[in-house]
Amino acid sequence: MMELAWGEDFDALVDVSKSAFVRYSPLEERTNSVPFADQIAQFAELGWLQLSDPNVAADEGVPLTTIAAVFVEMGRALADTPLLDLIVARDAALAAGSEHAAALAERIGDGEAIVLPVFPDAAIAGSEWGGGLTIENGVLNGTAFAIGYADQAEAFLVHAVGAENVLAVVEAGAAVTVEPMSNMGDHEVFALSFANVAVPAESVLARGADADRAAKLASQRGSVLRAAQVYGAGLRLLDITVLYAQQRHQFGGPIGRFQAVQYLCTDIAVAAHLTSAHVRSAAGALDAGADAQPHLGLLHKQAIKTATHMVHCAHEVHAGIGYMVESNVHLFTNAAKRWQFDFGSAAHTDAEIVSALDRIYVGA
């Protein structure tokens, strides 16, 4: 049976993360705003941009179950940072394995290169809302949607499909169109359009199956850390909601004495802790180099459910107060809308689970 325990140094990393994210948290001060360059410098100084390495065995490096500590606290603080995007880009470069890719990973890890991943989901690419990137004869075309911090990037690490799929670095600039997208998540995301952008051979980090593997592995590890963020947000929202249920009085006493309110708080707790269990399970599988897809399918489904359900329950307890700008509940609602999108649709996660089960039990 898999040991569902956080990494050995998890608690130590939690303490550092708590102190670091205080100045990012809108829950502490709505006007908290850290300049983008300062964020990168702090993450590099803390060594967080070098924690992750998909090529190093968990018993020799820092396992995902430990790295998750940073993202649990990032979620608890509702801190909005590009940390995950940079880690995913570095993971993909490391997994690509070439000398050129290793040099790029080192620059990202040192905070010297702002490179963001652009990996259109194969399940939705080509649909009317999924976009997709293609490369033929060294020329890149297509559009990728909902890329965060794209206006701050120096370059993009692009996974494009073609006669031979590639993982390549494309410099930001006039050849790449960056357009803001409206969304319900209260977080700036952008559409990136590449129109006949030349990708020279020296910009390609990996080709074919190596490119696909690097992008997939980095995306899988990133989704585990994003789910850890959802777990942390659920814990903080539970604290806020329970406190409100204790302080808000109706009919001569706190509303928290009513069983219906207690059930709603319990639902937030159950959803958050189920997400925690799935994070540890999926992280453990990836750390062990095992087939993580069955764990990831279940993780994605639970993370979507938690992001949706926890804010619904919190609004039920807070009633109209939760929708007011003065309440912090709406901040969680906005963040949860973004996270739901990150894990894909319910239909996509169902297909992930079915595919994994077919492979295990049918050999399909």
Side-chain angles (χ1 to χ4, degrees):
M1 178 178 292
M2 178 175 293
E3 177 63 35
L4 291 180
W6 294 109
E8 184 178 349
D9 298 320
F10 184 90
D11 291 340
L13 204 49
V14 162
D15 291 339
V16 176
S17 303
K18 279 181 179 175
S19 60
F21 288 128
V22 164
R23 69 182 187 129
Y24 292 79
S25 178
L27 305 176
E28 303 293 335
E29 171 57 58
R30 289 288 179 89
T31 57
N32 271 345
S33 177
V34 181
F36 192 84
D38 291 354
Q39 294 185 38
I40 306 300
Q42 183 178 30
F43 298 150
E45 183 179 354
L46 289 168
W48 287 353
L49 297 176
Q50 299 183 30
L51 281 174
S52 188
D53 190 339
N55 297 321
V56 176
D59 56 352
E60 296 177 0
V62 183
L64 274 178
T65 45
T66 293
I67 299 169
V70 174
F71 290 86
V72 172
E73 294 309 311
M74 203 165 94
R76 200 193 292 265
L78 274 189
D80 189 7
T81 86
L83 180 61
L84 180 60
D85 307 82
L86 294 167
I87 285 179
V88 170
R90 180 174 178 271
D91 273 3
L94 287 170
S98 65
E99 186 176 333
H100 184 192
L104 176 66
E106 184 175 349
R107 293 187 62 226
I108 296 173
D110 290 340
E112 296 174 354
I114 312 301
V115 180
L116 300 181
V118 182
F119 304 157
D121 193 325
I124 58 175
S127 70
E128 61 182 354
W129 55 279
L133 302 178
T134 61
I135 186 163
E136 298 294 344
N137 300 318
V139 178
L140 179 66
N141 280 288
T143 300
F145 294 127
I147 308 299
Y149 311 101
D151 59 334
Q152 304 284 341
E154 297 170 357
F156 303 102
L157 186 56
V158 172
H159 181 228
V161 299
E164 186 180 46
N165 296 356
V166 301
L167 185 68
V169 179
V170 178
E171 300 294 329
V176 183
T177 303
V178 180
E179 296 178 285
M181 295 177 63
S182 58
N183 68 92
M184 295 178 62
D186 197 23
H187 170 76
E188 284 191 307
V189 293
F190 301 86
L192 298 187
S193 295
F194 303 83
N196 297 317
V197 177
V199 179
E202 58 267 26
S203 296
V204 176
L205 304 186
R207 296 180 183 275
D210 290 340
D212 297 342
R213 175 187 168 278
K216 180 180 179 181
L217 183 56
S219 297
Q220 289 178 333
R221 292 168 64 86
S223 72
V224 170
L225 298 178
R226 177 68 86 201
Q229 197 175 355
V230 173
Y231 165 55
L235 293 179
R236 186 65 178 272
L237 186 58
L238 176 63
D239 291 343
I240 291 170
T241 304
V242 169
L243 180 62
Y244 181 79
Q246 292 171 334
Q247 294 178 339
R248 171 67 169 161
H249 283 62
Q250 279 187 327
F251 309 112
I255 62 172
R257 74 185 192 281
F258 296 118
Q259 200 168 41
V261 173
Q262 294 167 6
Y263 280 144
L264 290 166
C265 295
T266 303
D267 283 351
I268 299 174
V270 170
H273 287 290
L274 278 175
T275 305
S276 164
H278 284 295
V279 166
R280 285 178 286 179
S281 179
L286 285 166
D287 284 336
D291 179 5
Q293 200 57 51
H295 303 279
L296 289 165
L298 294 170
L299 169 65
H300 296 165
K301 193 168 186 65
Q302 181 61 49
I304 293 170
K305 182 178 179 181
T306 300
T308 307
H309 200 54
M310 68 183 186
V311 293
H312 173 81
C313 292
H315 277 291
E316 288 280 313
V317 174
H318 283 79
I321 298 294
Y323 292 93
M324 297 177 71
V325 173
E326 291 79 6
S327 166
N328 283 332
V329 175
H330 82 281
L331 299 177
F332 288 88
T333 308
N334 293 339
K337 285 297 177 189
R338 176 193 176 195
W339 295 329
Q340 287 174 245
F341 183 88
D342 288 347
F343 292 109
S345 67
H348 177 53
T349 55
D350 286 345
E352 276 188 296
I353 296 169
V354 170
S355 174
L357 293 177
D358 278 348
R359 190 171 63 255
I360 293 171
Y361 294 107
V362 184

